[in-house]
Coordinates of all heavy atoms in Angstrom, one line a residue:
M157 N 30.5 -142.8 116.2 CA 29.2 -143.6 116.3 C 29.5 -144.9 117.0 O 30.6 -145.4 117.0 CB 28.8 -143.8 114.9 CG 28.0 -142.7 114.3 SD 27.0 -143.4 113.0 CE 26.6 -142.0 112.2
N158 N 28.3 -145.4 117.4 CA 28.4 -146.7 118.0 C 28.2 -147.8 116.9 O 27.2 -148.0 116.3 CB 27.3 -146.8 119.0 CG 27.4 -148.1 119.9 OD1 28.3 -149.0 119.6 ND2 26.5 -148.2 120.9
D159 N 29.2 -148.7 116.7 CA 29.2 -149.7 115.6 C 28.3 -150.9 116.0 O 27.7 -151.5 115.1 CB 30.6 -150.3 115.4 CG 31.5 -149.3 114.7 OD1 30.9 -148.4 114.0 OD2 32.7 -149.4 114.8
K160 N 28.0 -151.0 117.3 CA 27.1 -152.2 117.7 C 25.6 -151.8 117.4 O 24.8 -152.7 117.4 CB 27.3 -152.5 119.2 CG 28.7 -153.0 119.4 CD 28.9 -153.4 120.9 CE 30.3 -154.0 121.1 NZ 30.5 -154.4 122.5
A161 N 25.3 -150.6 117.3 CA 23.9 -150.2 117.0 C 23.4 -150.6 115.7 O 22.3 -150.9 115.5 CB 23.7 -148.7 117.2
N162 N 24.4 -150.6 114.7 CA 24.1 -151.0 113.3 C 24.9 -152.2 112.9 O 25.9 -152.0 112.2 CB 24.2 -149.8 112.3 CG 23.2 -148.8 112.6 OD1 22.1 -149.0 113.0 ND2 23.7 -147.5 112.5
P163 N 24.6 -153.4 113.3 CA 25.5 -154.5 112.9 C 25.4 -154.8 111.4 O 24.4 -154.4 110.8 CB 24.9 -155.7 113.6 CG 23.4 -155.3 113.9 CD 23.4 -153.8 114.0
P164 N 26.5 -155.2 110.9 CA 26.5 -155.5 109.4 C 25.4 -156.5 109.0 O 25.2 -157.5 109.7 CB 27.9 -156.1 109.1 CG 28.4 -156.5 110.4 CD 27.7 -155.7 111.5
K165 N 24.7 -156.2 108.0 CA 23.6 -157.1 107.5 C 24.1 -158.3 106.8 O 25.2 -158.3 106.1 CB 22.6 -156.3 106.6 CG 22.0 -155.2 107.3 CD 21.0 -154.5 106.5 CE 20.3 -153.4 107.2 NZ 19.1 -152.9 106.6
K166 N 23.4 -159.4 106.9 CA 23.7 -160.7 106.3 C 23.3 -160.5 104.8 O 22.6 -159.6 104.4 CB 22.9 -161.8 106.8 CG 23.4 -162.2 108.3 CD 22.6 -163.4 108.7 CE 23.0 -163.7 110.2 NZ 22.3 -164.8 110.7
S167 N 23.9 -161.4 104.0 CA 23.7 -161.3 102.5 C 22.2 -161.4 102.3 O 21.5 -162.2 103.0 CB 24.5 -162.3 101.8 OG 24.0 -163.6 102.1
G168 N 21.6 -160.7 101.4 CA 20.3 -160.9 101.0 C 19.9 -162.2 100.3 O 18.7 -162.6 100.3
G169 N 20.9 -162.9 99.9 CA 20.6 -164.2 99.2 C 20.0 -165.2 100.1 O 19.2 -166.0 99.8
E170 N 20.5 -165.3 101.4 CA 20.0 -166.2 102.4 C 18.5 -166.0 102.5 O 17.7 -166.9 102.6 CB 20.7 -166.1 103.6 CG 22.1 -166.6 103.6 CD 22.9 -166.4 104.9 OE1 22.2 -166.2 105.9 OE2 24.1 -166.5 104.9
R171 N 18.1 -164.7 102.7 CA 16.7 -164.4 103.0 C 15.9 -164.7 101.8 O 14.8 -165.3 101.9 CB 16.6 -162.9 103.3 CG 15.2 -162.4 103.7 CD 15.2 -160.9 104.1 NE 13.9 -160.6 104.6 CZ 12.9 -160.0 103.8 NH1 13.3 -159.7 102.5 NH2 11.8 -159.7 104.3
K172 N 16.4 -164.4 100.6 CA 15.6 -164.7 99.4 C 15.4 -166.2 99.2 O 14.4 -166.6 98.8 CB 16.4 -164.2 98.2 CG 16.2 -162.7 97.9 CD 16.8 -162.2 96.6 CE 16.5 -160.8 96.4 NZ 17.0 -160.4 95.0
D173 N 16.5 -167.0 99.6 CA 16.3 -168.4 99.5 C 15.3 -169.0 100.5 O 14.5 -169.8 100.1 CB 17.7 -169.2 99.8 CG 18.7 -168.9 98.7 OD1 18.3 -168.5 97.6 OD2 19.9 -169.1 99.0
R174 N 15.2 -168.4 101.7 CA 14.2 -168.8 102.7 C 12.8 -168.5 102.2 O 11.9 -169.2 102.3 CB 14.5 -168.2 104.0 CG 15.5 -168.9 104.9 CD 15.5 -168.4 106.3 NE 16.2 -167.2 106.3 CZ 15.6 -165.9 106.6 NH1 14.4 -165.9 107.1 NH2 16.3 -164.9 106.6
L175 N 12.7 -167.3 101.7 CA 11.4 -166.8 101.3 C 11.0 -167.6 100.1 O 9.7 -168.0 100.0 CB 11.4 -165.3 100.9 CG 11.5 -164.3 102.1 CD1 11.7 -162.9 101.6 CD2 10.4 -164.5 103.0
A176 N 11.8 -167.9 99.1 CA 11.5 -168.7 98.0 C 11.0 -170.1 98.4 O 10.0 -170.7 97.9 CB 12.6 -168.8 97.0
E177 N 11.7 -170.7 99.4 CA 11.3 -172.0 99.8 C 9.9 -172.0 100.5 O 9.1 -172.9 100.3 CB 12.4 -172.6 100.8 CG 12.1 -174.0 101.3 CD 12.1 -175.0 100.3 OE1 12.8 -174.9 99.3 OE2 11.3 -176.0 100.4
A178 N 9.7 -171.0 101.3 CA 8.4 -170.9 102.0 C 7.3 -170.7 101.0 O 6.2 -171.2 101.1 CB 8.4 -169.7 103.0
L179 N 7.6 -169.9 99.9 CA 6.6 -169.7 98.8 C 6.3 -171.0 98.1 O 5.1 -171.2 97.8 CB 7.1 -168.6 97.9 CG 6.2 -168.2 96.8 CD1 5.0 -167.5 97.4 CD2 6.9 -167.2 95.9
R180 N 7.3 -171.7 97.8 CA 7.1 -173.1 97.1 C 6.2 -174.0 98.0 O 5.3 -174.6 97.5 CB 8.4 -173.7 96.8 CG 9.0 -173.1 95.5 CD 10.2 -174.0 95.1 NE 11.3 -174.0 96.0 CZ 12.3 -173.1 95.9 NH1 12.3 -172.2 95.0 NH2 13.3 -173.1 96.8
A181 N 6.5 -174.0 99.3 CA 5.8 -174.9 100.2 C 4.3 -174.5 100.3 O 3.4 -175.3 100.3 CB 6.4 -174.9 101.6
N182 N 4.1 -173.1 100.4 CA 2.8 -172.7 100.4 C 2.0 -172.9 99.1 O 0.8 -173.4 99.2 CB 2.8 -171.1 100.7 CG 1.4 -170.5 101.0 OD1 0.5 -171.3 101.4 ND2 1.3 -169.3 100.8
L183 N 2.6 -172.8 98.0 CA 2.0 -173.0 96.7 C 1.6 -174.5 96.6 O 0.5 -174.9 96.2 CB 2.9 -172.6 95.6 CG 2.3 -172.8 94.2 CD1 1.1 -172.0 94.0 CD2 3.4 -172.4 93.2
Q184 N 2.5 -175.4 97.1 CA 2.2 -176.8 97.0 C 1.0 -177.2 97.9 O 0.1 -178.0 97.5 CB 3.4 -177.7 97.4 CG 4.5 -177.7 96.4 CD 5.8 -178.4 96.9 OE1 5.9 -178.7 98.1 NE2 6.7 -178.6 96.0
K185 N 0.9 -176.5 99.0 CA -0.2 -176.8 100.0 C -1.5 -176.3 99.4 O -2.5 -177.0 99.4 CB 0.1 -176.1 101.3 CG -0.9 -176.4 102.4 CD -0.6 -175.8 103.7 CE -0.5 -174.3 103.7 NZ -0.3 -173.8 105.1
R186 N -1.5 -175.2 98.7 CA -2.7 -174.6 98.1 C -3.1 -175.5 97.0 O -4.3 -175.6 96.8 CB -2.5 -173.2 97.7 CG -2.4 -172.3 99.0 CD -2.0 -170.9 98.6 NE -2.8 -170.3 97.6 CZ -2.6 -169.2 96.8 NH1 -1.4 -168.6 97.0 NH2 -3.4 -168.8 96.0
K187 N -2.2 -176.0 96.2 CA -2.5 -176.8 95.0 C -3.1 -178.1 95.5 O -4.1 -178.6 94.9 CB -1.3 -177.1 94.2 CG -0.9 -176.0 93.3 CD 0.2 -176.4 92.4 CE 0.6 -175.3 91.4 NZ 1.6 -175.7 90.5
A188 N -2.6 -178.7 96.6 CA -3.2 -179.9 97.2 C -4.6 -179.7 97.7 O -5.5 -180.5 97.5 CB -2.3 -180.4 98.3
Q189 N -4.8 -178.5 98.3 CA -6.2 -178.2 98.7 C -7.1 -178.1 97.5 O -8.3 -178.6 97.6 CB -6.2 -176.9 99.5 CG -5.6 -177.0 100.9 CD -5.6 -175.7 101.6 OE1 -5.7 -174.6 101.0 NE2 -5.5 -175.7 102.9
A190 N -6.7 -177.4 96.5 CA -7.6 -177.3 95.3 C -7.9 -178.6 94.7 O -9.0 -178.9 94.3 CB -7.0 -176.3 94.4
R191 N -6.9 -179.4 94.6 CA -7.1 -180.8 94.0 C -8.1 -181.6 94.8 O -9.0 -182.3 94.3 CB -5.8 -181.5 93.8 CG -4.9 -181.2 92.7 CD -3.8 -182.1 92.4 NE -2.9 -182.1 93.5 CZ -1.8 -181.4 93.6 NH1 -1.5 -180.6 92.7 NH2 -1.0 -181.5 94.7
S192 N -8.0 -181.6 96.1 CA -8.9 -182.4 97.0 C -10.3 -181.8 96.9 O -11.3 -182.6 96.9 CB -8.4 -182.3 98.4 OG -8.6 -181.1 99.1
R193 N -10.5 -180.5 96.7 CA -11.8 -179.9 96.5 C -12.4 -180.3 95.2 O -13.6 -180.6 95.2 CB -11.8 -178.4 96.7 CG -11.5 -177.9 98.1 CD -11.4 -176.4 98.2 NE -11.1 -176.1 99.6 CZ -10.2 -175.2 100.0 NH1 -9.6 -174.5 99.1 NH2 -9.9 -175.0 101.2
R194 N -11.7 -180.4 94.2 CA -12.2 -180.8 92.9 C -12.6 -182.2 92.9 O -13.5 -182.6 92.3 CB -11.1 -180.6 91.8 CG -11.1 -179.1 91.3 CD -10.2 -179.1 90.0 NE -9.0 -179.7 90.1 CZ -7.8 -179.0 90.3 NH1 -7.9 -177.8 90.5 NH2 -6.7 -179.7 90.4
A195 N -11.8 -183.0 93.7 CA -12.1 -184.5 93.8 C -13.3 -184.7 94.6 O -13.9 -185.8 94.6 CB -10.9 -185.3 94.2
G196 N -13.7 -183.8 95.5 CA -14.8 -184.0 96.4 C -14.4 -184.6 97.7 O -15.3 -185.0 98.5
D197 N -13.1 -184.8 97.9 CA -12.7 -185.4 99.1 C -12.6 -184.3 100.2 O -12.4 -183.2 100.0 CB -11.2 -186.0 99.0 CG -11.3 -187.1 97.9 OD1 -12.3 -187.7 97.8 OD2 -10.2 -187.3 97.4
P198 N -12.8 -184.8 101.5 CA -12.8 -183.8 102.6 C -11.3 -183.2 102.7 O -10.4 -184.0 102.4 CB -13.2 -184.5 103.8 CG -13.0 -185.9 103.5 CD -13.2 -186.1 102.0
D199 N -11.2 -182.1 103.2 CA -9.9 -181.6 103.5 C -9.2 -182.3 104.6 O -9.8 -182.8 105.5 CB -10.0 -180.1 104.0 CG -8.8 -179.2 103.8 OD1 -7.8 -179.8 103.4 OD2 -8.9 -178.0 104.0
Q200 N -7.9 -182.6 104.5 CA -7.2 -183.4 105.4 C -6.9 -182.7 106.8 O -6.4 -183.3 107.7 CB -5.9 -183.9 104.8 CG -6.1 -184.8 103.6 CD -7.0 -186.0 104.0 OE1 -6.8 -186.6 104.9 NE2 -7.9 -186.2 103.0
R201 N -7.1 -181.4 106.9 CA -6.9 -180.7 108.1 C -7.9 -181.0 109.1 O -9.0 -181.2 108.8 CB -6.8 -179.1 107.8 CG -5.8 -178.7 106.9 CD -5.9 -177.2 106.6 NE -7.1 -177.0 106.0 CZ -7.7 -175.8 105.8 NH1 -7.0 -174.7 106.2 NH2 -8.8 -175.6 105.2
P202 N -7.6 -181.1 110.4 CA -8.6 -181.4 111.4 C -9.7 -180.3 111.5 O -10.8 -180.7 111.8 CB -7.8 -181.5 112.7 CG -6.5 -180.9 112.4 CD -6.2 -180.9 110.9
E203 N -9.4 -179.1 111.2 CA -10.4 -178.0 111.3 C -11.1 -177.8 109.9 O -11.9 -176.9 109.8 CB -9.7 -176.7 111.7 CG -8.9 -176.0 110.7 CD -7.4 -176.6 110.7 OE1 -7.1 -177.4 111.4 OE2 -6.6 -176.0 110.0
G204 N -10.8 -178.6 109.0 CA -11.4 -178.5 107.6 C -12.9 -178.9 107.6 O -13.4 -179.6 108.5
L205 N -13.6 -178.5 106.6 CA -15.0 -178.8 106.5 C -15.1 -180.2 105.8 O -14.4 -180.5 105.0 CB -15.7 -177.8 105.6 CG -15.7 -176.4 106.3 CD1 -16.2 -175.4 105.3 CD2 -16.5 -176.3 107.6
P206 N -16.2 -180.9 106.1 CA -16.5 -182.2 105.4 C -16.9 -181.9 104.0 O -17.4 -180.9 103.7 CB -17.6 -182.8 106.2 CG -18.2 -181.7 107.0 CD -17.2 -180.7 107.2
S207 N -16.7 -182.9 103.2 CA -17.1 -182.7 101.8 C -18.6 -182.8 101.6 O -19.3 -183.3 102.4 CB -16.4 -183.8 100.9 OG -17.0 -185.1 101.2
A208 N -19.1 -182.2 100.5 CA -20.5 -182.1 100.2 C -21.0 -183.4 99.8 O -22.2 -183.7 99.8 CB -20.8 -181.0 99.2
G209 N -20.1 -184.3 99.2 CA -20.5 -185.6 98.7 C -21.0 -185.4 97.3 O -20.8 -184.5 96.6
K210 N -21.6 -186.4 96.7 CA -22.2 -186.4 95.4 C -23.4 -185.7 95.3 O -24.3 -185.8 96.2 CB -22.3 -187.9 94.9 CG -21.0 -188.8 95.0 CD -20.1 -188.3 93.9 CE -18.8 -189.1 94.0 NZ -17.8 -188.7 93.1
M211 N -23.6 -185.0 94.2 CA -24.9 -184.3 94.0 C -26.0 -185.3 93.5 O -25.7 -186.2 92.7 CB -24.8 -183.2 92.9 CG -24.0 -182.0 93.4 SD -23.9 -180.7 92.2 CE -25.6 -180.5 91.8
Q212 N -27.2 -185.1 94.0 CA -28.3 -186.0 93.5 C -29.1 -185.2 92.5 O -29.6 -184.1 92.8 CB -29.1 -186.4 94.7 CG -28.4 -187.3 95.7 CD -29.3 -187.7 96.9 OE1 -30.4 -187.1 97.0 NE2 -28.8 -188.5 97.7
I213 N -29.2 -185.8 91.3 CA -30.0 -185.1 90.2 C -31.4 -185.7 90.3 O -31.6 -186.9 90.3 CB -29.4 -185.4 88.9 CG1 -27.9 -184.8 88.9 CG2 -30.2 -184.7 87.8 CD1 -27.1 -185.2 87.6
K214 N -32.4 -184.8 90.4 CA -33.8 -185.3 90.5 C -34.4 -185.1 89.1 O -34.2 -184.4 88.3 CB -34.5 -184.5 91.5 CG -34.0 -184.7 92.9 CD -34.8 -183.9 93.9 CE -34.3 -184.2 95.3 NZ -35.1 -183.6 96.3

């Protein structure tokens, strides 16, 4: 067989570490978005929507 066709795989630990770090970063970003929405502040992304502002009770 050709050994170059199936190179030895790297340890799965490196991949798991990268995926775990990406997951943590994504979770922090989503939590920040949720906090800003609860506070009524506009999203900090340039493509984000403006906040609705304060509700007026009649």
